[in-house]
Amino acid sequence: PEPPAPAKKQDGPPDYGAQVPRALSVLLNALETGRLPHSILLYGDTLADLENAAHFLAAHILGTLEAMKHADFFALRPSGKARQIKIGEKEARENNTMRDFIRQINLSASQGTRKVGVVYEADRMNSSTANAFLKTLEEPPRDTTLLLLSTRPYDFLPTIRSRCFHFHIPALDHGQCDESFIQWKHDFETWLQTLDDCADGKKASPADLVLPAYALGGRLLLLSESFAQMQWAAAKAELPEQIDDEEKEAIETGLRKGIRARLLQQTEQTLRDFAFADKEKIQTRSRKLSASIAAMEKIRGLLEVNFPETAAMEHFMLQTLRAWSK
């Protein structure tokens, strides 16, 4: 598929237009009145939306156009094949580790009076990293706002969750207007209709049922890769110069995961829309929908532990085929 057109370079905080999430409106009001919490957990369905929200809020806190390039903006991301947030050595200074992150946010602000620390995919902290961070949450540095981003907020230690104010960031309508994805959704719905007709007794050849399952799954992965390449090219050009290769890899991986998560979420929504489009079949279609969503949840879990994308997608498509053609 053709990749989407590159986004225009943005001078300033992420532009929500009229779609500023209510959570961010509440937080901006708290900032203006001097009541912004020190520790905030932003959670939602996609990493991309959470990152946009964090950068939007950080830009307003720091009074800057580009939060990530501000001297008092500090970031911590998962790294390595295990996608874990590392604790780091006690004596040696290691970039992108919890101990170095804590050291940096405890320094005095170099510009202005406020600092912002963002922990991306904060649920990727293991017990030792979380315990090292806990003391900072209990006694946050002065004039510092800590933002924890997560699509799995209940994977935190309860002691971490209890020390943060929680705000849900809803997913925005990403990718829905891209013609290649619109065409994919149309073809996916056509395939679902073929399966549903087959369940009603209409004859269909195996080729009409099975081959589209593999083709649609492969096309969705190609779309995900295409979108990721284009967005990473734009994002990489905007990164601060001091970010090292390991951090860049972590950012790119997070971006790719976020795009894939959005496409899976929109695929699930397409399933829901199709299931409830025919009111006379809601009862039987609801059972089929439930089976498809169960398969979707399974592959989401598998993808979190780096299971091969192609095998995961094939599992989802074949389980959907079985459910809807019965």
Side-chain angles (χ1 to χ4, degrees):
E2 290 295 324
K8 294 181 179 179
K9 184 176 178 181
Q10 181 172 287
D11 295 322
D15 183 13
Y16 284 98
Q19 298 187 72
V20 177
R22 176 171 172 75
L24 290 181
S25 297
V26 171
L27 288 168
L28 289 178
N29 183 63
L31 175 64
E32 291 175 2
T33 57
R35 297 179 179 180
L36 188 70
H38 286 289
S39 304
I40 300 168
L41 169 60
L42 301 179
Y43 68 96
D45 294 323
T46 70
L47 291 171
D49 288 305
L50 296 176
E51 291 190 13
N52 281 340
H55 297 163
F56 177 86
L57 183 58
H60 283 84
I61 293 172
L62 298 172
T64 183
L65 294 179
E66 297 177 278
M68 290 183 68
K69 294 185 178 181
H70 196 279
D72 296 315
F73 178 92
F74 306 102
L76 178 60
R77 297 176 181 271
S79 60
K81 292 183 178 179
R83 303 287 300 140
Q84 292 290 315
I85 294 178
K86 299 177 181 178
I87 187 171
E89 299 294 334
K90 287 185 178 180
E91 304 301 330
R93 178 177 173 180
E94 298 178 83
N95 291 333
N96 200 40
T97 62
M98 179 57 77
R99 285 197 169 103
D100 189 56
F101 178 75
I102 292 172
R103 182 194 64 80
Q104 291 185 83
I105 62 176
N106 276 285
L107 297 174
S108 299
S110 59
Q111 296 179 14
T113 59
R114 301 188 67 91
K115 297 169 290 177
V116 175
V118 180
V119 183
Y120 298 84
E121 298 181 72
D123 48 80
R124 307 299 294 183
M125 289 189 280
N126 56 33
S127 58
S128 59
T129 307
N131 287 325
F133 187 49
L134 187 57
K135 185 176 180 181
T136 300
L137 285 178
E138 292 171 343
E139 301 175 10
R142 185 177 179 181
D143 297 322
T144 301
T145 302
L146 297 172
L147 304 176
L148 283 66
L149 315 184
S150 177
T151 57
R152 301 183 300 169
Y154 294 104
D155 285 357
F156 287 101
L157 292 174
T159 47
I160 296 284
R161 289 202 310 270
S162 65
R163 285 166 174 77
C164 299
F165 285 81
H166 300 198
F167 291 88
H168 178 256
I169 304 298
L172 297 180
D173 195 17
H174 296 286
Q176 292 278 19
C177 296
D178 182 81
E179 291 184 5
S180 55
F181 186 62
I182 291 173
Q183 183 61 51
W184 184 89
K185 289 197 299 180
H186 171 75
D187 295 343
F188 183 57
E189 290 177 335
T190 300
W191 179 63
L192 290 174
Q193 187 63 61
T194 301
L195 299 181
D196 201 43
D197 291 343
C198 181
D200 288 340
K202 186 176 181 179
K203 291 184 179 180
S205 69
D208 293 332
L209 305 179
V210 180
L211 293 183
Y214 288 95
L216 286 164
R219 281 171 58 195
L220 188 61
L221 293 179
L222 285 173
L223 281 170
S224 179
E225 177 64 20
S226 176
F227 296 160
Q229 287 181 1
M230 184 62 69
Q231 291 193 28
W232 172 237
K236 185 165 58 173
E238 299 298 315
L239 292 178
E241 294 180 0
Q242 66 269 24
I243 290 184
D244 59 28
D245 290 341
E246 188 177 70
E247 288 182 86
K248 287 181 181 178
E249 182 181 359
I251 293 171
E252 182 181 6
T253 301
L255 182 146
R256 290 177 180 276
K257 286 179 62 179
I259 290 172
R260 185 180 66 199
R262 288 205 301 270
L263 294 184
L264 291 178
Q265 181 187 44
Q266 291 172 14
T267 299
E268 181 177 326
Q269 186 59 51
T270 302
L271 272 164
R272 292 180 184 275
D273 293 343
F274 178 81
F276 299 124
D278 189 335
K279 294 182 180 180
E280 295 181 358
K281 293 186 175 182
I282 285 180
Q283 185 173 359
T284 55
R285 284 188 173 185
S286 293
R287 292 195 294 270
K288 297 176 181 183
L289 174 64
S290 178
S292 290
I293 290 177
M296 176 73 78
E297 290 302 317
K298 182 174 183 178
I299 70 165
R300 281 175 173 147
L302 291 172
L303 291 170
E304 284 295 327
V305 294
N306 297 323
F307 191 80
E309 283 186 329
T310 301
M313 184 58 65
E314 287 177 357
H315 172 80
F316 166 70
M317 297 301 295
L318 292 175
Q319 288 298 108
T320 297
L321 185 154
R322 293 188 182 101
W324 284 84
S325 61
K326 286 184 179 178

